[in-house]
Amino acid sequence: MAKIADLYYQVSPWKVSEVGFDSSRNEVSESIFSLGNEYLGVRGYFEEGYGSASLLGSYFNGVYENSVKEHEAQYKGIIKRSHFMVNAVDWLSTKIELEGERLDLADANITEFYRELDFKTGQLKRSFVWTTLGGKRIKISLVRFLHMESVYYSYQKLEFEALNFQGEIQVELGLDFATIHQSEMSNFWTEEIKEATASGGAIIGKTLTTQQQIFSGFEIKTSAALSSEIIERDKFIGRKLNVKLEEGKTVYIHKYITNIVDKQQTDLDLLWQRGLKSLEDQLAEGYDNAVTLQKSYWSDVWQKYDIEIAGDDLNQQGIRYCIFQMQQTYHGQNPENNIGAKGLTGEAYGGHAFWDTETSCLPFYLLTNLKAARNLLEFRYATLEQARQRAKELDCQGACYPIATLNGNEASALWQHASLQFQPSTGVAYGIWHYVNVSQDQAFVFEHGVEMLIEISRFLASRGDWSPKGQFGFYGVMGPDEFQMMVNHNAYTNYMAKKTFEYTLEVVNQIKQTAPERYRSLQKELALSDEEQQNWQNCAENTLLIVDEAGLIEQHDGFFDLPHVAINEIPVEEFPLYNHWSYDRIYRNDMIKQPDVLMFQFLHNQDFSDQSKKVNYEFYEPKTIHESSLSPSVHSILAAELGKKEEAYDFFGFATRMDLDNYNRNTREGLHTTSIAAAWMNIVYGFGGVRTDGDRLVMAPMIPPKWQSYRFTITYQDQLIEVLVGQESSQFRVIDGKDVLIKLYGKDYHVNQTTLELPMI
Amino acid sequence: MAKIADLYYQVSPWKVSEVGFDSSRNEVSESIFSLGNEYLGVRGYFEEGYGSASLLGSYFNGVYENSVKEHEAQYKGIIKRSHFMVNAVDWLSTKIELEGERLDLADANITEFYRELDFKTGQLKRSFVWTTLGGKRIKISLVRFLHMESVYYSYQKLEFEALNFQGEIQVELGLDFATIHQSEMSNFWTEEIKEATASGGAIIGKTLTTQQQIFSGFEIKTSAALSSEIIERDKFIGRKLNVKLEEGKTVYIHKYITNIVDKQQTDLDLLWQRGLKSLEDQLAEGYDNAVTLQKSYWSDVWQKYDIEIAGDDLNQQGIRYCIFQMQQTYHGQNPENNIGAKGLTGEAYGGHAFWDTETSCLPFYLLTNLKAARNLLEFRYATLEQARQRAKELDCQGACYPIATLNGNEASALWQHASLQFQPSTGVAYGIWHYVNVSQDQAFVFEHGVEMLIEISRFLASRGDWSPKGQFGFYGVMGPDEFQMMVNHNAYTNYMAKKTFEYTLEVVNQIKQTAPERYRSLQKELALSDEEQQNWQNCAENTLLIVDEAGLIEQHDGFFDLPHVAINEIPVEEFPLYNHWSYDRIYRNDMIKQPDVLMFQFLHNQDFSDQSKKVNYEFYEPKTIHESSLSPSVHSILAAELGKKEEAYDFFGFATRMDLDNYNRNTREGLHTTSIAAAWMNIVYGFGGVRTDGDRLVMAPMIPPKWQSYRFTITYQDQLIEVLVGQESSQFRVIDGKDVLIKLYGKDYHVNQTTLELPMI
């Protein structure tokens, strides 16, 4: 595995900070210090410009463009054009000049550099002392934050203190749509309107092919009256300020920014007016109020989702960073949003959402924020039509959810993924089931859920096929384990399809029994027939899962006959294999990227005996090289369940600090957002032994030997539950809400507001 | 299958002719009327220009360019840039003007159009009467041919007869390097030198990236003295002639063209002088002598290779057309040449040679022209270094021959073919074995053959792998049957690899025994070791071929468990499936494109019992949809062997007339050259029952019920043998050479110059 921590940032329970600037880590730091409020995200780039390696990225959830090049799709089912989350307006655009010298941390004489991201305030702060070539010394402090509730509002603060002189500093602040999307080396914006405002300016940009619009406006307030002139360049509007400085005195500038996304091609004037009004409201609320609101917002978050670890400072910081970034990326503000593999923190993976939304991220929201969980599923419902279209392109019926998407359309041009992998579809079905199981939200499943389930089952029944022996399953597929391409009867795909059929039939039957009107509408609108249900029943009953006497499940038909690769003997320098091995070489041995069998044994945990989990864990674990960042978490969770404490902790290892310590050496591209969710699962589902796949909540906490204790809170249905786990005992308590029936260490308890203490097992 | 003849050209035993011009068939006719002499090929386009759909193609064997775009090869082993046979100089360039009206058959008023390609002279003739808008009527005749021996020489003849006027006609004749390569929509030539000559002109063009040069020069001789002026345009040189016409009298123009390819970047002056000298020699030989030599050349060809069919005019014409085009495409003139899938008749498949060179084309040459057979193998020897390089790119040892190539490098950018298909490599080994078996050319195999065999065996041993049960075979491959992608233990790949190991060891042992000096050089230069030979032995002995009790061979591990598709129920309009089915859908059922098992049972025919061939034929035949044009021939040959006369004839059906009747509706792209070879095999190996894979020649002729008789001649080693097959008996005779031991209908005979007559069995 050869994944080694690159520990660099200061270790602290409630913040990430950097003392002294390391330019070689600039792009990594840009990712680490990313801000987001689900509506938009901005990397921690230096707003004043940086003349060396940097990814100046500012992204708005769901604002995307189409790839410049159309692929030559030679064959049906291969997409011709991809789409990606596009780099948008640089609303932090800043230039600072003193004595004709422009500030650029790539070559300026800088001392006392300090930067911190505070999990309790959501503020990113930076300060340093700049000594100009002429010897003038000035302390500069910068703050930025995004309003978590009034998501249009963003804030920038600049503070200047002349240390050994008095004079003038020139500051240009503006809004810049001339940003470059690096992976396509192009700008994707046209300028629509641009005008000065009272003490700022505003601009509307529009994407080239998708015609999405963003209004961006700013106003400046300062601690001292000062003159400014309007500056206009192509796709840019700003103001240049001459700031008078007196030695030892501090001057600050507040820049209020309102960004409004319009995906509906609203009339420009209307959008303009709406933008100005918003900017006015933002000014009226004021900077200090916004700061206060932020603190209260984050305090509420930590009250509900915090995880405390005593005795492990690194993981303490790591898990809080994970929770903080999850919240920034997505908290269910808008059902049009989803969670990109890199969140809103970089261009990699095109900003696309993958199947980990339902399998890795959803559990976090199920136990912290049910509305967010539901909204993730509403995203899939809203894109059901695109999934239907995709199924047609694949010569199938029903709906096939894309392997990668922003807008519901398939975005992956690699047929070997887009046409062979169906975990997004079974993942949506699983997500619906999991959500309903936890939330008991019958209305959702009767209205939206059932339609998706029917269409997914339809797809699966048409894409699957029958062996001459009468076994149903999937031929020519790739499961989540992407090192076994084009196999038959992949156990994950088969098993998840079987569960999808069963759950669809269960829901359809419930509706038939309890909501005959709705049932009739399904018959009519979706042409749901008895024959089709009978077919699904038939498929489910005959789905092939190849299991030997000991309970070992074959990952696919023929997996046991594959040549063996001793993965521990692969030289470290050959990782990642995709970059060093001939492409085809990866796909013809018993090495796996991530464990398909263990994955569905985790997802449908209570379907499998301990014996079965043990046999499979012990067989597949040594064959897994974890080139998927989700893989170690699944291992850790199952190892915890199987009582393999050391292994559980070892696999947990880098999950919480994957990005902080840049384990994969690619954090510069953006954060591993969905792995962040897995880190949370690792503690709650892994060490906490929480299970939500049965008819009641299950917990069976264990504790790594190195920890003194840890504490987590989850919201199960409406009850806020606190779990405190020590080396000797665990304590359970409802902080807020009614009694909850929980199976603790295999035995049912009604947990209430009085602490229940149980000895560790 | 739904392949239906589009019978259009006149049926005649020794020519293809067209009476009246059908513009909708223009591009098909351009392919059909192609000329070639292995050195160069030219489509049957109208040299005077044609203002509608046309593929003006002029190709030189081995003259290629690199693709304009570099692919984004994301993974190792996927090529970044392809190469293709490039459209070269239009040495027929002609303009004809009368009264200011330019002749263009796309809109001219034309009557009495007639065109023919004569198999006995190799000449393409065309004549018609043109009535101008002004009512002038002129008969125009055009002839072209390529010298088959002095391959630099080409000829064009124009003849004019004014039918109702006297006056002047303007004729421009020239050489044009400004041709467009259609599939890349670009011209790939720069002009290097261009100058007038005595009565013509010359020009050297050079390819953009590969820096290959062609000298092209022409001289004009006419039946009457006439003035001409030199015409120069970009990449063009020509002469404009004013031809005086008198009513009822014929005037002709001979254009002599010399084309010299230079792949070595020779000094331009040297090339220029060489070209002019060649042109001079060509002029000295004269037009009529060249015509005479052509007739004698073709007479010799027909003497040696002709197939006569009595009672089937369509197939008579068809098979002669096949032999004629095979000879034009390749006859072993130069070991640097190979046989493109479309010969020299179009751009499709990039002019690339595929694995059918050794498996489909080689047998034709083995029995007609051993030098040509050897030269095909010398092409592979000359590109051994590129094959070694390719093996490295695939993380393997030894040499991997490319799936598609002009210069020895892999030209296919599709990893699913280039990285998974190894029939080119086993095909080369098979070709060496087959050639040596027929020719007994020990010198070749001891010198060049053995090096290729060792390197191919090395490749196979490193690409193959071992199952946990100790079975050797290939994982993650695609056999010739391209409808089963990424399978394990493909029977074709396994079996052909096993035979390769065995033959390599046999040759190496022979050398060890009989040429110890050479053996030591192999040990030294190729690092051939005993351990390696032991390993090949081990691989060969343990190669898995999955065979049931009845002798049925499983096409790959798991094939028998695949879902069944009733191929007869697939609607006709869904063919070709690649254009109508989702790409992945093709790869997950028991439908096959061409029969891998039957293929190697044909190639190593005498390894298998009749029973085994019968069982496999009857199992695989109904599953085969023949989207490969080679597939029906293999079926026909085996059906003949199995006594299935009707099926043999049905599968033979369209082979000989595939292009003449445009069965696949894509003849406009070029001729199916390698299928042409399969048509020949179909008669000689199929109906003739010839086998060359044992220690002596085998024949067991049968005759389709519809034929009165057929006759073919083959050259076995040095003996020219005639076989005449009637409904009642077959006759065998050595026309020229010594006695030959032949197994006839299972019994050995010494056939000599006295006819041996045997009754049909």
Side-chain angles (χ1 to χ4, degrees), chain A residues 239-306:
Chain A
R239 279 191 183 266
K240 193 168 183 179
L241 319 176
N242 289 309
V243 184
K244 289 211 174 72
L245 302 176
E246 283 178 57
E247 194 171 326
K249 287 206 177 164
T250 300
V251 179
Y252 70 79
I253 304 171
H254 285 155
K255 179 178 171 193
Y256 294 77
I257 307 103
T258 276
N259 291 299
I260 297 184
V261 170
D262 167 55
K263 301 176 186 170
Q264 316 305 328
Q265 300 172 43
T266 304
D267 177 82
L268 284 175
D269 284 341
L270 287 179
L271 177 59
W272 186 259
Q273 293 312 322
R274 195 177 144 209
L276 293 181
K277 174 71 171 59
S278 171
L279 191 54
E280 205 174 286
D281 294 346
Q282 186 187 9
L283 274 172
E285 184 179 278
Y287 187 89
D288 293 339
N289 276 337
V291 169
T292 307
L293 282 169
Q294 284 298 98
K295 285 183 188 155
S296 129
Y297 178 90
W298 281 108
S299 159
D300 200 42
V301 165
W302 295 117
Q303 164 83 6
K304 285 191 191 151
Y305 322 155
D306 188 26

Side-chain angles (χ1 to χ4, degrees), chain A residues 643-654:
Chain A
K644 298 170 186 280
K645 285 191 176 192
E646 288 295 322
E647 289 187 40
Y649 191 76
D650 288 347
F651 277 118
F652 168 68
F654 66 93

